[in-house]
Amino acid sequence: MPLRVGILISGRGSNMLALAEYAQQDDVNADIALVIADKPAQGLDHASQLGIETLLLDRADYQNRASHEAAIINALDDAEVDAVFLAGYMRVLSADFCHHYEGRLFNIHPSLLPRHKGLDTHQRALDGGDREHGCSVHLVTADLDDGPVLIQRAVPVLADDDAETLAARVLKEEHIIYPMALGALAAGLLSIDGDQITMEIGELPGRINGVDAPLSWPA
Ligand code: GRF
């Protein structure tokens, strides 16, 4: 049975697309079952164009975070997802939500965690004089951007960078490591118990844009 994946987005959804394009390859044992946005988002149209089921659960239509999250949980559970990938989802999730999907909730964060948790990571990397910046895929726990890291990629910070050029360099790497994490999960290379991850070394199925197959995990 393919791994059934739900993705939550709030915006353009480029990481969602990278995951979807990866999962749609024949030799990748994963299906993107549902993409949910919490506000009208460009990414929903892109997902529909790939034939993926989409749902807008606009947070503005709900009285509070609890009722909004309850709707999201219903939709994800109805779609029988095995794992949930946050891809530019811009609302902090409650501890209850994180516990509901404990061990199967993932996020991509644009920094080399534990540096620069939270927002504006690129500007903060520049302001901090960082020589290296990057991105991390981590398991989501109730503490913001604090769950165990599965994989990271670093990029150099160049002398003439601004937040935009640095973000673009990091985003390219995000589009590689997030599908890799999905591939590792689908290939059974990750065993997760609560917030403990054990990783096996192995080969990932499929190709990721711009990277020659076979991809090795976790490198
Ligand atoms: C990415 O940089 C991601 O790391 C962060 O939000 C951004 C979302 O971009 N959490 P996109 O919607 O995936 O294009």
Side-chain angles (χ1 to χ4, degrees), residues 8-18 42-43 86-90 107-111 118-119 121-122 134-136 145 167 170-171 174-175 178:
L8 303 190
I9 64 169
S10 298
R12 72 188 158 181
S14 69
N15 277 290
M16 176 275 297
L17 273 184
Q42 224 184 325
L86 306 179
Y89 186 70
M90 295 308 287
N107 185 39
I108 177 97
H109 183 75
S111 80
L119 297 174
T121 57
H122 308 301
C135 48
S136 311
D145 299 329
V170 170
L171 192 65
E174 295 183 32
H175 294 165
Y178 217 12

Side-chain angles (χ1 to χ4, degrees), residues 120-124 126 160-169:
D120 296 327
T121 57
H122 308 301
Q123 191 57 52
R124 284 159 59 207
L126 291 170
D160 57 354
D161 267 334
D162 57 23
E164 210 172 303
T165 56
L166 186 53
R169 192 173 309 118

